[in-house]
Amino acid sequence: TSMTGWTVNAGHNVSWIGPGNPFGLSSQDGTHFLDLTDYSNGSPYGGVSQTIATVAGGHYDLTFYLGSNSGSGVPDGISVTAGATTQNFLSTLNAANQWEVELMSFVATGSTTLLSFQGSAGGAYIGLDNVSVAFTGVTTPIPGADLMLGTGLLGLGFVGHRRSKQTGPSAIRAA
């Protein structure tokens, strides 16, 4: 209930871990982080999701921190889905309370995009912290603009072709 905007994936649990926890783990930055194992030693792993506002055709960078802890077993993994893009991330950091930044780029296909983080590998700990999404621009051409550009180029090609016929060798002989 402390994770505003996030929903725990059906059928699984996660743990919201804060300062003073008995495991000696700390967040990457701030006070709290998620453990996608819910203190279990293996699968089924937990996950969370959230729907965000996006621009169709917009390019986005999704970043987050994946936490691992050699005392809980490695590797630790998270499967991430953003719209139609899915990528697996695996940490093999072999020390206590390690965090590494992960990056996934995706293109939005609509006005909203579902983000989903699901634990995929690990022992009794898979950390997730500091999720952020940044809009990087719209580089996907708008279909109507493609049609106008293509029509304009076709027209220039036709004009160029007519001029070359009039000034070519046969046009000079006829003069």
Side-chain angles (χ1 to χ4, degrees):
T1 60
S2 298
M3 303 180 310
T4 304
W6 291 93
T7 302
V8 176
N9 295 347
H12 302 286
N13 295 317
V14 298
S15 296
W16 184 238
I17 299 177
N21 65 77
F23 313 107
L25 301 171
S26 60
S27 66
Q28 186 279 324
D29 182 28
T31 60
H32 289 79
F33 65 95
L34 280 182
D35 176 4
L36 299 180
T37 65
D38 188 39
Y39 307 130
S40 301
N41 196 15
S43 65
Y45 302 111
V48 292
S49 58
Q50 182 179 117
T51 299
I52 61 169
T54 53
V55 174
H59 290 245
Y60 294 84
D61 283 342
L62 167 68
T63 58
F64 65 95
Y65 280 83
L66 170 57
S68 60
N69 185 19
S70 59
S72 299
V74 290
D76 294 315
I78 295 178
S79 177
V80 180
T81 301
T85 304
T86 298
Q87 189 171 340
N88 292 310
F89 297 89
L90 196 63
S91 172
T92 56
L93 295 175
N94 201 13
N97 201 40
Q98 295 284 301
W99 292 94
E100 65 185 61
V101 67
E102 305 291 358
L103 168 69
M104 182 175 97
S105 297
F106 68 94
V107 176
T109 58
S111 61
T112 61
T113 299
L114 178 68
L115 303 179
S116 179
F117 296 83
Q118 183 69 41
S120 62
Y125 172 70
I126 303 169
L128 175 64
D129 203 358
N130 291 326
V131 175
S132 67
V133 177
F135 178 71
T136 61
V138 178
T139 58
T140 305
I142 301 168
D146 280 349
L147 180 60
M148 287 189 332
L149 178 62
T151 304
L153 291 175
L154 183 62
L156 287 175
F158 179 71
V159 169
H161 177 70
R162 287 193 60 203
R163 284 188 181 159
S164 68
K165 279 184 142 182
Q166 293 173 352
T167 59
S170 60
I172 295 172
R173 278 188 233 136

Coordinates of all heavy atoms in Angstrom, one line a residue, residues 7-96:
T7 N 0.9 -1.9 -8.8 CA 0.1 -3.0 -8.5 C 1.0 -4.3 -8.4 O 1.8 -4.5 -9.2 CB -1.0 -3.2 -9.6 OG1 -1.8 -2.1 -9.7 CG2 -1.9 -4.4 -9.2
V8 N 0.8 -5.0 -7.3 CA 1.5 -6.3 -7.2 C 0.9 -7.3 -8.2 O -0.4 -7.4 -8.2 CB 1.5 -6.8 -5.8 CG1 2.1 -8.2 -5.7 CG2 2.1 -5.8 -4.8
N9 N 1.7 -8.0 -9.0 CA 1.2 -8.9 -10.0 C 0.4 -10.0 -9.3 O 0.8 -10.5 -8.2 CB 2.3 -9.5 -10.8 CG 3.0 -8.4 -11.7 OD1 2.5 -7.3 -11.8 ND2 4.1 -8.7 -12.2
A10 N -0.7 -10.4 -9.9 CA -1.6 -11.4 -9.3 C -0.9 -12.7 -8.9 O 0.0 -13.2 -9.7 CB -2.7 -11.7 -10.3
G11 N -1.3 -13.3 -7.8 CA -0.7 -14.6 -7.4 C 0.6 -14.6 -6.8 O 1.1 -15.6 -6.4
H12 N 1.2 -13.4 -6.6 CA 2.6 -13.3 -6.0 C 2.7 -12.2 -5.0 O 1.9 -11.3 -5.0 CB 3.6 -13.1 -7.2 CG 3.6 -14.1 -8.2 ND1 4.1 -15.4 -8.1 CD2 3.1 -14.1 -9.5 CE1 3.9 -16.1 -9.2 NE2 3.3 -15.3 -10.0
N13 N 3.7 -12.3 -4.2 CA 3.9 -11.3 -3.2 C 5.2 -10.6 -3.4 O 6.2 -11.2 -3.9 CB 3.8 -11.9 -1.8 CG 2.5 -12.4 -1.4 OD1 1.4 -11.8 -1.7 ND2 2.4 -13.6 -0.9
V14 N 5.4 -9.4 -2.9 CA 6.7 -8.7 -2.8 C 6.8 -8.2 -1.4 O 5.9 -8.1 -0.6 CB 6.7 -7.6 -3.8 CG1 6.6 -8.1 -5.3 CG2 5.7 -6.5 -3.6
S15 N 8.0 -7.8 -1.0 CA 8.3 -7.2 0.3 C 8.8 -5.8 0.1 O 9.7 -5.6 -0.7 CB 9.4 -8.0 1.0 OG 8.9 -9.3 1.3
W16 N 8.2 -4.9 0.8 CA 8.6 -3.5 0.8 C 9.5 -3.3 2.0 O 9.1 -3.3 3.2 CB 7.3 -2.7 1.0 CG 7.4 -1.2 0.9 CD1 7.0 -0.3 1.9 CD2 7.8 -0.4 -0.1 NE1 7.1 1.0 1.5 CE2 7.7 1.0 0.2 CE3 8.4 -0.6 -1.4 CZ2 8.0 2.1 -0.6 CZ3 8.7 0.4 -2.2 CH2 8.6 1.8 -1.8
I17 N 10.8 -3.2 1.7 CA 11.9 -3.3 2.8 C 12.4 -1.9 3.0 O 12.8 -1.1 2.1 CB 13.0 -4.2 2.4 CG1 12.4 -5.6 2.2 CG2 14.1 -4.2 3.4 CD1 13.4 -6.7 1.7
G18 N 12.5 -1.5 4.3 CA 13.0 -0.2 4.7 C 14.1 -0.3 5.7 O 14.7 -1.3 5.9
P19 N 14.4 0.9 6.2 CA 15.6 0.9 7.2 C 15.4 0.0 8.4 O 14.2 -0.3 8.8 CB 15.6 2.4 7.6 CG 14.7 3.1 6.7 CD 13.8 2.1 6.1
G20 N 16.5 -0.5 8.9 CA 16.4 -1.3 10.1 C 15.9 -2.7 9.9 O 15.5 -3.4 10.8
N21 N 15.9 -3.2 8.6 CA 15.4 -4.5 8.3 C 16.4 -5.5 8.9 O 17.6 -5.2 9.0 CB 15.2 -4.8 6.8 CG 16.4 -4.7 6.0 OD1 17.2 -5.6 6.0 ND2 16.6 -3.5 5.3
P22 N 16.0 -6.8 9.2 CA 16.9 -7.7 9.9 C 17.9 -8.3 8.9 O 18.8 -9.1 9.4 CB 15.9 -8.8 10.3 CG 14.7 -8.7 9.5 CD 14.6 -7.3 9.1
F23 N 17.9 -8.0 7.6 CA 18.8 -8.6 6.7 C 20.0 -7.8 6.4 O 21.0 -8.2 5.7 CB 18.1 -8.8 5.3 CG 16.7 -9.4 5.5 CD1 15.6 -8.7 5.3 CD2 16.6 -10.8 5.9 CE1 14.3 -9.3 5.5 CE2 15.3 -11.3 6.1 CZ 14.2 -10.6 5.9
G24 N 20.1 -6.6 6.9 CA 21.2 -5.7 6.7 C 21.3 -5.1 5.3 O 22.3 -4.6 4.9
L25 N 20.2 -5.2 4.6 CA 20.1 -4.6 3.2 C 19.7 -3.2 3.2 O 18.8 -2.8 4.1 CB 19.2 -5.5 2.4 CG 19.5 -7.0 2.3 CD1 18.4 -7.7 1.6 CD2 20.8 -7.1 1.5
S26 N 20.2 -2.4 2.3 CA 19.8 -1.0 2.2 C 19.4 -0.7 0.8 O 19.8 -1.4 -0.1 CB 20.9 -0.1 2.7 OG 22.0 -0.2 1.9
S27 N 18.6 0.3 0.6 CA 18.1 0.7 -0.7 C 19.3 1.3 -1.5 O 20.3 1.8 -0.9 CB 17.0 1.7 -0.6 OG 17.5 2.9 0.0
Q28 N 19.1 1.4 -2.8 CA 20.1 2.0 -3.6 C 20.3 3.4 -3.3 O 21.3 4.0 -3.3 CB 19.8 1.7 -5.1 CG 20.9 2.1 -6.1 CD 20.9 3.6 -6.4 OE1 19.8 4.2 -6.5 NE2 22.0 4.2 -6.5
D29 N 19.1 4.1 -3.2 CA 19.0 5.5 -2.9 C 17.7 5.8 -2.2 O 16.7 5.4 -2.8 CB 19.2 6.3 -4.2 CG 19.2 7.8 -3.9 OD1 19.6 8.2 -2.9 OD2 18.8 8.5 -4.8
G30 N 17.7 6.4 -1.1 CA 16.4 6.6 -0.4 C 16.3 5.7 0.8 O 17.3 5.3 1.4
T31 N 15.0 5.3 1.1 CA 14.8 4.6 2.3 C 14.2 3.2 2.1 O 14.5 2.3 2.9 CB 13.9 5.3 3.3 OG1 12.6 5.5 2.6 CG2 14.5 6.6 3.7
H32 N 13.5 3.0 1.0 CA 12.8 1.7 0.8 C 13.1 1.1 -0.6 O 13.5 1.9 -1.5 CB 11.3 1.9 0.9 CG 10.8 2.1 2.3 ND1 10.9 3.3 2.9 CD2 10.3 1.3 3.2 CE1 10.5 3.3 4.1 NE2 10.1 2.0 4.3
F33 N 13.0 -0.2 -0.7 CA 13.1 -0.9 -2.0 C 12.2 -2.1 -2.0 O 11.7 -2.5 -0.9 CB 14.6 -1.2 -2.3 CG 15.2 -2.2 -1.4 CD1 15.1 -3.6 -1.7 CD2 15.7 -1.8 -0.2 CE1 15.7 -4.5 -0.8 CE2 16.2 -2.8 0.7 CZ 16.2 -4.1 0.4
L34 N 12.1 -2.7 -3.1 CA 11.3 -3.9 -3.2 C 12.2 -5.2 -3.3 O 13.2 -5.2 -3.9 CB 10.4 -3.9 -4.5 CG 9.2 -3.1 -4.5 CD1 8.4 -3.3 -5.9 CD2 8.2 -3.6 -3.4
D35 N 11.7 -6.2 -2.6 CA 12.3 -7.5 -2.8 C 11.3 -8.4 -3.5 O 10.2 -8.6 -3.0 CB 12.6 -8.1 -1.4 CG 13.1 -9.6 -1.5 OD1 13.3 -10.1 -2.6 OD2 13.4 -10.2 -0.4
L36 N 11.6 -8.8 -4.7 CA 10.6 -9.6 -5.6 C 10.5 -11.0 -5.2 O 9.9 -11.8 -5.9 CB 11.0 -9.4 -7.0 CG 10.9 -7.9 -7.5 CD1 11.3 -7.9 -9.0 CD2 9.6 -7.3 -7.3
T37 N 11.2 -11.5 -4.1 CA 11.1 -12.9 -3.7 C 10.1 -13.0 -2.5 O 9.7 -14.1 -2.2 CB 12.4 -13.5 -3.2 OG1 12.9 -12.8 -2.1 CG2 13.5 -13.4 -4.4
D38 N 9.8 -11.9 -1.8 CA 8.9 -12.0 -0.6 C 9.5 -12.9 0.4 O 8.8 -13.7 1.0 CB 7.5 -12.3 -1.0 CG 6.5 -12.2 0.2 OD1 6.7 -11.2 1.0 OD2 5.7 -13.1 0.3
Y39 N 10.8 -12.9 0.6 CA 11.5 -13.7 1.6 C 11.5 -15.2 1.3 O 11.8 -16.0 2.1 CB 11.0 -13.5 3.0 CG 10.9 -12.1 3.5 CD1 9.7 -11.6 4.0 CD2 12.0 -11.2 3.4 CE1 9.7 -10.3 4.5 CE2 11.9 -9.9 3.8 CZ 10.8 -9.5 4.3 OH 10.7 -8.2 4.8
S40 N 11.1 -15.6 0.1 CA 11.1 -17.0 -0.3 C 12.4 -17.4 -0.9 O 13.1 -16.5 -1.5 CB 10.0 -17.3 -1.4 OG 8.7 -16.9 -0.8
N41 N 12.8 -18.6 -0.8 CA 14.1 -19.1 -1.4 C 13.8 -19.7 -2.7 O 14.0 -20.9 -2.9 CB 14.8 -20.0 -0.4 CG 16.2 -20.2 -0.8 OD1 16.8 -19.4 -1.6 ND2 16.9 -21.2 -0.3
G42 N 13.4 -18.9 -3.7 CA 13.2 -19.4 -5.1 C 11.8 -19.0 -5.6 O 11.1 -18.2 -5.0
S43 N 11.5 -19.6 -6.7 CA 10.2 -19.2 -7.4 C 9.0 -19.8 -6.6 O 9.2 -20.8 -5.9 CB 10.3 -19.6 -8.8 OG 10.3 -21.0 -8.9
P44 N 7.8 -19.3 -6.8 CA 7.5 -18.3 -7.8 C 7.9 -16.9 -7.2 O 7.7 -16.6 -6.1 CB 6.0 -18.4 -7.9 CG 5.5 -18.9 -6.5 CD 6.7 -19.8 -6.1
Y45 N 8.4 -16.1 -8.1 CA 8.9 -14.8 -7.8 C 7.7 -13.8 -7.9 O 6.8 -14.0 -8.7 CB 10.0 -14.3 -8.7 CG 11.2 -15.3 -8.6 CD1 11.5 -16.1 -9.7 CD2 12.0 -15.4 -7.5 CE1 12.6 -16.9 -9.7 CE2 13.0 -16.2 -7.4 CZ 13.4 -17.0 -8.5 OH 14.4 -17.9 -8.4
G46 N 7.8 -12.7 -7.2 CA 6.8 -11.6 -7.3 C 7.1 -10.6 -8.4 O 8.2 -10.6 -9.0
G47 N 6.2 -9.7 -8.6 CA 6.4 -8.7 -9.6 C 5.4 -7.5 -9.3 O 4.4 -7.7 -8.6
V48 N 5.7 -6.4 -10.0 CA 4.8 -5.2 -9.9 C 4.6 -4.7 -11.3 O 5.4 -4.9 -12.2 CB 5.4 -4.2 -9.0 CG1 5.4 -4.6 -7.5 CG2 6.8 -3.8 -9.4
S49 N 3.5 -3.9 -11.4 CA 3.2 -3.3 -12.7 C 2.6 -1.9 -12.5 O 2.0 -1.6 -11.4 CB 2.4 -4.2 -13.6 OG 1.2 -4.5 -13.0
Q50 N 2.7 -1.1 -13.5 CA 2.1 0.3 -13.5 C 1.8 0.7 -14.9 O 2.6 0.4 -15.8 CB 3.0 1.3 -12.8 CG 2.4 2.6 -12.7 CD 3.3 3.6 -12.0 OE1 3.8 4.6 -12.6 NE2 3.6 3.4 -10.7
T51 N 0.7 1.4 -15.2 CA 0.4 1.9 -16.5 C 0.8 3.4 -16.5 O 0.4 4.1 -15.6 CB -1.1 1.7 -16.8 OG1 -1.4 0.3 -16.9 CG2 -1.4 2.4 -18.2
I52 N 1.6 3.8 -17.5 CA 2.0 5.2 -17.5 C 1.5 5.9 -18.8 O 1.2 5.2 -19.8 CB 3.6 5.3 -17.5 CG1 4.2 4.6 -18.7 CG2 4.1 4.8 -16.1 CD1 5.7 4.9 -18.8
A53 N 1.4 7.2 -18.8 CA 1.0 7.9 -20.0 C 2.2 8.0 -20.9 O 3.3 8.3 -20.5 CB 0.5 9.3 -19.6
T54 N 2.0 7.8 -22.2 CA 3.0 7.9 -23.2 C 2.5 8.5 -24.5 O 1.3 8.8 -24.6 CB 3.6 6.4 -23.6 OG1 2.5 5.6 -23.9 CG2 4.3 5.8 -22.4
V55 N 3.4 8.8 -25.4 CA 3.0 9.3 -26.7 C 3.2 8.2 -27.7 O 4.3 7.7 -27.8 CB 3.9 10.6 -27.0 CG1 3.7 11.1 -28.5 CG2 3.7 11.7 -26.0
A56 N 2.2 7.9 -28.5 CA 2.4 6.9 -29.5 C 3.5 7.2 -30.5 O 3.6 8.4 -30.9 CB 1.1 6.7 -30.3
G57 N 4.4 6.3 -30.7 CA 5.6 6.5 -31.5 C 6.8 7.1 -30.7 O 7.9 7.3 -31.3
G58 N 6.5 7.5 -29.5 CA 7.6 8.1 -28.7 C 8.6 7.1 -28.2 O 8.3 6.0 -27.9
H59 N 9.9 7.5 -28.2 CA 11.0 6.7 -27.7 C 11.2 7.0 -26.2 O 11.3 8.2 -25.9 CB 12.2 6.9 -28.5 CG 12.1 6.4 -29.9 ND1 12.9 5.4 -30.4 CD2 11.3 6.7 -30.9 CE1 12.5 5.1 -31.6 NE2 11.6 5.9 -32.0
Y60 N 11.4 6.0 -25.4 CA 11.6 6.1 -24.0 C 12.8 5.3 -23.5 O 13.0 4.2 -24.1 CB 10.3 5.7 -23.2 CG 9.1 6.6 -23.5 CD1 8.3 6.4 -24.6 CD2 8.8 7.6 -22.6 CE1 7.2 7.2 -24.9 CE2 7.7 8.4 -22.9 CZ 6.9 8.2 -24.0 OH 5.9 9.0 -24.3
D61 N 13.4 5.8 -22.5 CA 14.5 5.0 -21.8 C 13.9 4.7 -20.4 O 13.6 5.6 -19.6 CB 15.8 5.8 -21.6 CG 16.6 5.8 -22.9 OD1 16.3 4.9 -23.8 OD2 17.4 6.7 -23.1
L62 N 13.9 3.4 -20.0 CA 13.4 3.0 -18.7 C 14.7 2.6 -18.0 O 15.5 1.8 -18.5 CB 12.5 1.8 -18.9 CG 12.2 0.9 -17.6 CD1 11.4 1.8 -16.7 CD2 11.5 -0.3 -18.0
T63 N 14.9 3.1 -16.8 CA 16.1 2.7 -16.0 C 15.6 2.3 -14.6 O 14.5 2.7 -14.1 CB 17.1 3.9 -15.8 OG1 16.4 5.0 -15.2 CG2 17.7 4.3 -17.1
F64 N 16.3 1.4 -14.0 CA 16.0 0.9 -12.7 C 17.3 0.3 -12.1 O 18.3 0.1 -12.8 CB 14.9 -0.1 -12.7 CG 15.2 -1.4 -13.4 CD1 15.7 -2.5 -12.7 CD2 15.0 -1.5 -14.8 CE1 16.0 -3.7 -13.4 CE2 15.3 -2.7 -15.5 CZ 15.8 -3.8 -14.8
Y65 N 17.3 0.1 -10.8 CA 18.4 -0.6 -10.1 C 18.0 -2.0 -9.8 O 16.9 -2.2 -9.2 CB 18.8 0.2 -8.9 CG 19.7 1.4 -9.3 CD1 19.1 2.6 -9.7 CD2 21.1 1.3 -9.3 CE1 19.9 3.7 -10.0 CE2 21.9 2.3 -9.6 CZ 21.3 3.5 -10.0 OH 22.1 4.6 -10.3
L66 N 18.9 -3.0 -10.1 CA 18.7 -4.4 -9.8 C 19.6 -4.7 -8.6 O 20.8 -4.5 -8.7 CB 19.0 -5.3 -11.0 CG 19.1 -6.8 -10.8 CD1 17.8 -7.3 -10.1 CD2 19.4 -7.4 -12.1
G67 N 19.1 -5.2 -7.5 CA 19.9 -5.5 -6.3 C 20.1 -6.9 -6.2 O 19.3 -7.8 -6.5
S68 N 21.4 -7.2 -5.8 CA 21.7 -8.6 -5.5 C 22.5 -8.7 -4.2 O 23.1 -7.7 -3.8 CB 22.5 -9.2 -6.7 OG 23.7 -8.5 -6.9
N69 N 22.6 -9.9 -3.7 CA 23.3 -10.1 -2.4 C 23.8 -11.5 -2.4 O 23.0 -12.5 -2.4 CB 22.3 -9.9 -1.3 CG 22.9 -9.9 0.1 OD1 24.1 -9.8 0.2 ND2 22.1 -10.1 1.1
S70 N 25.1 -11.6 -2.4 CA 25.7 -13.0 -2.4 C 25.2 -13.9 -1.3 O 25.2 -15.1 -1.5 CB 27.2 -12.9 -2.4 OG 27.7 -12.2 -1.2
G71 N 24.9 -13.3 -0.2 CA 24.4 -14.1 0.9 C 23.0 -14.8 0.7 O 22.7 -15.8 1.3
S72 N 22.3 -14.3 -0.3 CA 21.0 -14.8 -0.7 C 21.1 -15.6 -2.0 O 20.0 -16.2 -2.4 CB 20.0 -13.7 -0.9 OG 19.9 -12.9 0.3
G73 N 22.2 -15.7 -2.6 CA 22.4 -16.5 -3.8 C 22.3 -15.6 -5.0 O 21.6 -14.6 -5.1
V74 N 23.2 -15.9 -6.0 CA 23.2 -15.1 -7.2 C 23.2 -16.2 -8.3 O 23.6 -17.3 -8.1 CB 24.5 -14.2 -7.4 CG1 24.4 -13.0 -6.5 CG2 25.7 -15.0 -7.1
P75 N 22.8 -15.9 -9.5 CA 22.5 -14.6 -10.0 C 21.0 -14.2 -9.6 O 20.2 -15.0 -9.3 CB 22.6 -14.8 -11.6 CG 22.2 -16.2 -11.8 CD 22.7 -17.0 -10.6
D76 N 20.8 -12.9 -9.7 CA 19.5 -12.4 -9.5 C 19.0 -11.8 -10.8 O 19.7 -11.1 -11.5 CB 19.5 -11.3 -8.4 CG 19.9 -11.8 -7.1 OD1 19.4 -12.9 -6.7 OD2 20.8 -11.2 -6.4
G77 N 17.7 -12.0 -11.1 CA 17.2 -11.6 -12.4 C 15.8 -11.0 -12.3 O 15.0 -11.3 -11.5
I78 N 15.6 -10.1 -13.3 CA 14.3 -9.4 -13.4 C 13.9 -9.4 -14.9 O 14.7 -9.1 -15.7 CB 14.2 -8.0 -12.9 CG1 14.5 -7.9 -11.4 CG2 12.9 -7.3 -13.2 CD1 14.5 -6.5 -10.8
S79 N 12.7 -9.8 -15.2 CA 12.2 -9.7 -16.6 C 11.3 -8.5 -16.6 O 10.4 -8.3 -15.8 CB 11.3 -11.0 -16.9 OG 10.8 -10.8 -18.2
V80 N 11.6 -7.6 -17.6 CA 10.9 -6.3 -17.7 C 10.2 -6.2 -19.0 O 10.7 -6.5 -20.0 CB 11.9 -5.1 -17.6 CG1 11.2 -3.8 -17.7 CG2 12.8 -5.2 -16.3
T81 N 8.9 -5.7 -18.9 CA 8.1 -5.5 -20.1 C 7.6 -4.1 -20.1 O 7.1 -3.6 -19.1 CB 6.9 -6.5 -20.1 OG1 7.4 -7.8 -20.1 CG2 6.1 -6.3 -21.4
A82 N 7.8 -3.4 -21.2 CA 7.3 -2.1 -21.4 C 6.6 -2.1 -22.8 O 7.2 -2.1 -23.8 CB 8.4 -1.0 -21.4
G83 N 5.2 -2.2 -22.8 CA 4.5 -2.3 -24.0 C 4.8 -3.6 -24.7 O 4.7 -4.7 -24.1
A84 N 5.3 -3.5 -25.9 CA 5.6 -4.7 -26.7 C 7.1 -5.1 -26.6 O 7.5 -6.1 -27.2 CB 5.4 -4.4 -28.2
T85 N 7.8 -4.5 -25.7 CA 9.3 -4.8 -25.5 C 9.4 -5.5 -24.2 O 9.0 -5.1 -23.2 CB 10.1 -3.5 -25.5 OG1 9.9 -2.8 -26.7 CG2 11.6 -3.8 -25.3
T86 N 10.1 -6.7 -24.3 CA 10.5 -7.4 -23.1 C 12.0 -7.7 -23.1 O 12.5 -8.1 -24.1 CB 9.7 -8.8 -23.0 OG1 8.3 -8.5 -23.0 CG2 10.1 -9.6 -21.8
Q87 N 12.6 -7.6 -21.9 CA 14.0 -7.8 -21.8 C 14.3 -8.4 -20.4 O 13.7 -8.1 -19.4 CB 14.8 -6.5 -22.0 CG 16.3 -6.7 -22.1 CD 17.0 -5.4 -22.5 OE1 16.4 -4.5 -23.0 NE2 18.3 -5.3 -22.3
N88 N 15.3 -9.4 -20.4 CA 15.7 -10.0 -19.1 C 17.0 -9.4 -18.7 O 17.9 -9.2 -19.5 CB 15.8 -11.5 -19.3 CG 14.5 -12.2 -19.5 OD1 13.5 -11.9 -18.8 ND2 14.4 -13.0 -20.6
F89 N 17.1 -9.1 -17.4 CA 18.3 -8.5 -16.8 C 18.8 -9.5 -15.7 O 18.0 -10.0 -14.9 CB 18.0 -7.2 -16.2 CG 17.6 -6.2 -17.2 CD1 16.2 -6.0 -17.5 CD2 18.5 -5.4 -17.9 CE1 15.8 -5.1 -18.5 CE2 18.1 -4.4 -18.8 CZ 16.7 -4.3 -19.1
L90 N 20.1 -9.7 -15.7 CA 20.7 -10.7 -14.8 C 21.9 -10.0 -14.1 O 22.8 -9.5 -14.7 CB 21.1 -11.9 -15.5 CG 21.4 -13.2 -14.7 CD1 20.1 -13.6 -14.0 CD2 21.9 -14.2 -15.7
S91 N 21.9 -10.1 -12.8 CA 23.1 -9.6 -12.0 C 23.8 -10.7 -11.4 O 23.3 -11.6 -10.8 CB 22.6 -8.7 -10.9 OG 23.7 -8.3 -10.1
T92 N 25.1 -10.7 -11.6 CA 26.0 -11.7 -11.0 C 27.0 -11.1 -10.0 O 28.0 -11.7 -9.7 CB 26.8 -12.5 -12.1 OG1 27.5 -11.6 -12.9 CG2 25.8 -13.3 -13.0
L93 N 26.7 -9.9 -9.6 CA 27.5 -9.2 -8.6 C 27.6 -10.1 -7.4 O 26.6 -10.6 -6.8 CB 27.0 -7.9 -8.2 CG 26.9 -6.8 -9.3 CD1 26.2 -5.6 -8.8 CD2 28.3 -6.5 -9.8
N94 N 28.9 -10.4 -6.9 CA 29.1 -11.4 -5.9 C 29.6 -10.7 -4.6 O 30.6 -11.0 -4.1 CB 30.1 -12.4 -6.4 CG 30.0 -13.7 -5.6 OD1 29.0 -13.9 -4.9 ND2 31.0 -14.5 -5.8
A95 N 28.8 -9.8 -4.1 CA 29.1 -9.2 -2.8 C 27.8 -8.9 -2.1 O 26.7 -9.1 -2.6 CB 29.9 -7.9 -3.0
A96 N 27.9 -8.5 -0.8 CA 26.7 -8.1 -0.1 C 26.1 -6.8 -0.5 O 26.8 -5.8 -0.7 CB 27.0 -8.1 1.4

